Amino acid sequence: MPRAVLAERLETLREAGVLAETRVFQHAQDAGTIGPDGTCATCGSAVPPSDLLVLPGPGYDGEGDDFVSKSLTTAHRLLEPIRGR
Ligand SMILES: [Zn+2]
């Protein structure tokens, strides 16, 4: 299937609420987007999990109002524990 057709179909599913892209991964050192193969779109390196930032994505709807859900509304390193206040 051509890439453009696949992208269009995925966007249709996302708009219909069937597919939510709730999280986005970035390379902590240059804010490059991480592709499905785990490489950074900016520098091209294979990014280890310890260097990944997790951010709310375009499909994120705020989910619950518990401590963990609220903590996940801002960028954080993937492997760092969420600390209470
Ligand atoms: Zn990078």
Side-chain angles (χ1 to χ4, degrees):
M1 177 180 306
R3 190 179 188 103
V5 172
L6 179 59
E8 182 180 324
R9 289 182 181 175
L10 288 172
E11 181 62 20
T12 301
L13 290 172
R14 192 190 62 74
E15 288 174 359
V18 174
L19 178 66
E21 299 163 336
T22 60
R23 301 278 188 263
V24 175
F25 295 94
Q26 288 183 345
H27 191 185
Q29 294 168 355
D30 59 20
T33 302
I34 304 300
D37 62 354
T39 60
C40 174
T42 299
C43 68
S45 65
V47 180
S50 59
D51 287 342
L52 289 176
L53 288 179
V54 183
L55 301 92
Y60 184 74
D61 64 0
E63 297 175 11
D65 61 352
D66 58 280
F67 171 74
V68 173
S69 296
K70 287 181 180 177
S71 297
L72 297 178
T73 61
T74 58
H76 65 280
R77 285 198 182 244
L78 181 64
L79 299 180
E80 287 187 0
I82 296 171
R83 301 195 194 294
R85 294 180 189 201

